[in-house]
Amino acid sequence: MAPAVSARGRKAQKVTKKFVINASQPVNDKIFDLSAFEKFLHDRIKVEGRVGNLGDKIVISQSGEGKIEVVAHIPFSGRYLKYLTKKYLKKQQLRDWLRVVSTSKGVYELRFYNVVNEEGDEEEE
């Protein structure tokens, strides 16, 4: 009787999660190619341990100005999306200038590092 309950519980588990990656700042500065990033996610996201197995379980689309929307109909981690974003930034050699920040639940934003000019400190020494 216990296996029937777990099988039924698993069938009833309809999870839909929506994640947004906001890259509008680097896209406006023309250093980030949004369509190439979307293709990277299509090629790299693993479903059930296999790459290229998205099917209709995960939908990746561009939404609005510089935003990518990932809708997952299976259990999916936002940390995994952040990991893949960082991997893409490293591949494009943008990791030194951009960072991935979670602004709210399910929303990630690409921001430039805050570089503070410390010329005033050097002149005093």
Side-chain angles (χ1 to χ4, degrees):
M1 185 152 178
V5 173
S6 65
R8 188 173 49 124
R10 184 171 282 201
K11 298 272 189 207
Q13 186 181 13
K14 265 289 194 195
V15 182
T16 300
K17 288 188 177 180
K18 181 177 159 188
F19 299 96
V20 176
I21 301 173
N22 184 357
S24 54
Q25 217 177 359
V27 166
N28 289 340
D29 290 346
K30 295 182 176 46
I31 64 165
F32 191 82
D33 186 5
L34 201 63
S35 55
F37 178 56
E38 183 182 7
K39 183 182 180 330
F40 177 85
L41 289 178
H42 271 287
D43 296 343
R44 296 293 178 100
I45 289 180
K46 286 185 178 179
V47 177
E48 297 168 2
R50 294 178 54 206
V51 173
N53 193 19
L54 295 181
D56 58 349
K57 296 174 184 160
I58 295 181
V59 179
I60 304 169
S61 61
Q62 291 187 28
S63 64
E65 182 72 24
K67 292 183 181 180
I68 286 194
E69 195 174 272
V70 179
V71 179
H73 300 291
I74 56 172
F76 191 77
S77 169
R79 295 286 298 167
Y80 181 54
L81 210 53
K82 184 174 180 177
Y83 161 77
L84 286 173
T85 305
K86 289 165 113 178
K87 196 173 176 91
Y88 178 79
L89 290 175
K90 180 77 172 171
K91 184 180 169 192
Q92 300 297 319
Q93 298 170 345
L94 295 171
R95 190 80 176 90
D96 296 335
W97 292 279
L98 294 171
R99 63 189 187 139
V100 185
V101 180
S102 175
T103 53
S104 63
K105 188 173 173 74
V107 178
Y108 293 94
E109 187 175 331
L110 295 182
R111 290 188 183 164
F112 288 101
Y113 281 109
N114 290 336
V115 179
V116 179
N117 227 355
E118 296 181 7
E119 292 175 7
D121 296 338
E122 293 174 7
E123 291 174 6
E124 293 173 7
E125 290 179 7

